[in-house]
Amino acid sequence: MKKYVIGPSIKMVNTAIERRINEQNAVYHLTQSQGLVVIYLADQTNYTATQTEIMELLGVAHTTTLNLLKSMERKGMIKIQKNPQDRRANLVTLIWGDPSIYDQLNKNAEDNETTLLKGFTKTEIQCFKDFLSRAYDNLMEG
């Protein structure tokens, strides 16, 4: 049997990141994905983005994005409405929390990235990003 070393290693890192973020976000009753959406929307003009932009941010299917956003809407975190400029598109607006929460979520994200990349040189970080991007592209090409 062939020994697979890259896939399981990436999965281990992903699981560790997800666990860490979920622990940090628990105080706000947010999952990793919800926290990412909150951070993203908090950085947008009028705390608003399109559903498509959020789908691209998360890198998941339309249905998965819609389910996540509907859950967040039921919790009173966001409001989903038709885009007045394009009735086929939805606008998502953050209506939950306050800037201190957004600041803490951003700080946690920065701290996590610093911890993840501790001991890496700038060149290694760039190579790592390039390798991950290329691996993702390979998988998406099928």
Side-chain angles (χ1 to χ4, degrees):
M1 183 167 129
K2 186 174 181 178
K3 187 174 183 173
Y4 299 96
V5 293
I6 300 299
S9 295
I10 291 172
K11 177 62 176 159
M12 277 185 359
V13 170
N14 181 62
T15 299
I17 291 168
E18 193 168 317
R19 185 178 321 117
R20 183 180 177 108
I21 292 171
N22 284 336
E23 287 171 4
Q24 293 168 335
N25 289 356
V27 68
Y28 304 115
H29 307 287
L30 297 172
T31 65
Q32 177 187 11
S33 295
Q34 290 170 340
L36 190 55
V37 171
V38 168
I39 289 170
Y40 182 76
L41 290 173
D43 286 340
Q44 304 305 306
T45 304
N46 298 322
Y47 297 143
T48 300
T50 66
Q51 183 176 317
T52 301
E53 290 168 329
I54 293 170
M55 182 178 71
E56 291 168 358
L57 168 76
L58 297 173
V60 297
H62 171 80
T63 305
T64 304
T65 303
L66 187 58
N67 289 338
L68 172 69
L69 295 176
K70 289 290 186 185
S71 170
M72 292 177 74
E73 186 175 47
R74 282 190 301 274
K75 291 180 179 180
M77 302 170 81
I78 61 169
K79 183 171 111 180
I80 303 171
Q81 60 191 16
K82 289 289 179 197
N83 184 340
Q85 275 74 39
D86 181 355
R87 301 295 292 165
R88 298 167 297 164
N90 285 330
L91 292 177
V92 180
T93 303
L94 181 64
I95 59 173
W96 168 87
D98 63 57
S100 68
I101 292 173
Y102 313 148
D103 291 344
Q104 185 60 53
L105 291 172
N106 267 313
K107 182 182 180 322
N108 290 348
E110 288 173 17
D111 291 348
N112 290 333
E113 185 132 327
T114 298
T115 300
L116 175 69
L117 299 172
K118 183 170 50 179
F120 286 71
T121 66
K122 286 184 180 183
T123 301
E124 289 171 329
I125 291 168
Q126 187 58 53
C127 285
F128 187 49
K129 284 175 53 179
D130 292 344
F131 292 152
L132 289 173
S133 178
R134 203 163 52 193
Y136 178 80
D137 290 344
N138 289 344
L139 291 169
M140 296 311 291
E141 288 173 5

